[in-house]
Amino acid sequence: MTKGNYLSSLLRSIKTVFSSKDIAMLWHETTTSATRVRLNYFVKKGELYRIRKGLYAKNDEYNRLELATRILTPSYVSFETVLVKEGLIFQYYEPIFIASYTTREITIDQQIYSFRKIKDEILVNTIGIEHISETSIAIKERAFLDMLYIDPHFYFDNLNSLDWDKVFDLLPIYTNQRLVTKVNEIYSKARKESI
């Protein structure tokens, strides 16, 4: 790659968040030290924004949901973040909630990223996960099940938009009888209320 094309190759990308490994691959470099030197140069010149160690953006207007799934991998956006967006709960939550292999809370640029541990077999199963704008995000039915999986007493304000066929199709990936019982209980109650 020619000297002037390093930055332009990043700016042309549809991604807003890059790991140093992403950049090394994009620049066709095998040594991370050369990549690191170039990245430091572009950050010092103000042409790239360092989000945190190993993560960079074109500027400070990067996609926060895209970053959420790049901090710890594998991971996907779920729980309250999706439930609010889809209208299943009405209370606003400021943190972005992410399913991950560990429980951790990280604050970057005044945004809280709240990671919740979920079993590896569930985490790596891509059924019910969409890839939108470089982000892995749960569909509302998967977020509903994820929430009940970690908190069986969670209150939902509105379940009218749930596709119950999808809920029951996704349920086996959790291999959890307590969850099956809870979902059947909620489904029965929802059906009675809709009559």
Side-chain angles (χ1 to χ4, degrees):
M1 183 170 285
T2 60
K3 189 175 182 182
N5 289 336
Y6 287 105
L7 188 60
S8 65
S9 66
L10 289 178
L11 298 178
R12 284 192 310 265
S13 174
I14 59 169
K15 290 182 175 189
T16 66
V17 176
F18 304 89
S19 70
S20 46
K21 288 180 184 176
D22 293 336
I23 295 170
M25 284 179 24
L26 192 62
W27 289 348
H28 308 291
E29 293 186 343
T30 54
T31 61
T32 55
S33 59
T35 304
R36 200 175 314 115
V37 168
R38 275 193 196 86
L39 285 171
N40 286 334
Y41 171 76
F42 289 129
V43 168
K44 282 180 185 166
K45 282 188 68 180
E47 294 174 342
L48 269 184
Y49 179 73
R50 178 178 287 128
I51 300 170
R52 64 179 275 153
K53 185 177 179 181
L55 291 171
Y56 300 85
K58 297 172 188 179
N59 55 49
D60 62 358
E61 297 296 316
Y62 57 88
N63 181 332
R64 299 304 197 250
L65 292 179
E66 184 181 343
L67 174 61
T69 58
R70 303 304 304 277
I71 298 169
L72 301 174
T73 55
S75 63
Y76 60 90
V77 176
S78 188
F79 308 111
E80 292 95 327
T81 303
V82 173
L83 297 173
V84 167
K85 180 177 145 296
E86 295 291 344
L88 275 74
I89 58 175
F90 301 146
Q91 183 177 342
Y92 172 74
Y93 291 87
E94 195 168 311
I96 295 174
F97 294 95
I98 310 109
S100 180
Y101 60 88
T102 189
T103 298
R104 186 175 302 167
E105 199 168 271
I106 298 171
T107 303
I108 301 171
D109 292 335
Q110 288 84 48
Q111 176 64 60
I112 299 167
Y113 298 89
S114 183
F115 295 88
R116 291 179 172 153
K117 182 179 172 72
I118 217 161
K119 270 194 320 191
D120 288 347
E121 307 86 75
I122 301 168
L123 182 63
V124 298
N125 192 319
T126 59
I127 299 169
I129 305 293
E130 296 180 326
H131 301 284
I132 303 166
S133 302
E134 301 296 318
T135 303
S136 298
I137 188 163
I139 63 173
K140 61 187 163 191
E141 292 79 10
R142 173 93 182 234
F144 167 75
L145 290 170
D146 285 347
M147 195 74 239
L148 285 176
Y149 178 76
I150 65 160
D151 182 359
H153 305 293
F154 190 83
Y155 177 77
F156 299 91
D157 297 301
N158 176 19
L159 298 177
N160 294 335
S161 67
L162 274 184
D163 180 334
W164 287 100
D165 289 336
K166 285 183 185 176
V167 169
F168 287 108
D169 286 345
L170 290 165
L171 197 50
I173 69 174
Y174 295 85
T175 61
N176 184 303
Q177 190 54 48
R178 176 195 51 80
L179 182 60
V180 171
T181 303
K182 186 66 178 178
V183 168
N184 280 311
E185 177 187 308
I186 292 171
Y187 175 66
S188 295
K189 186 178 176 191
R191 284 194 61 186
K192 283 178 190 169
E193 289 173 359
S194 67
I195 295 173

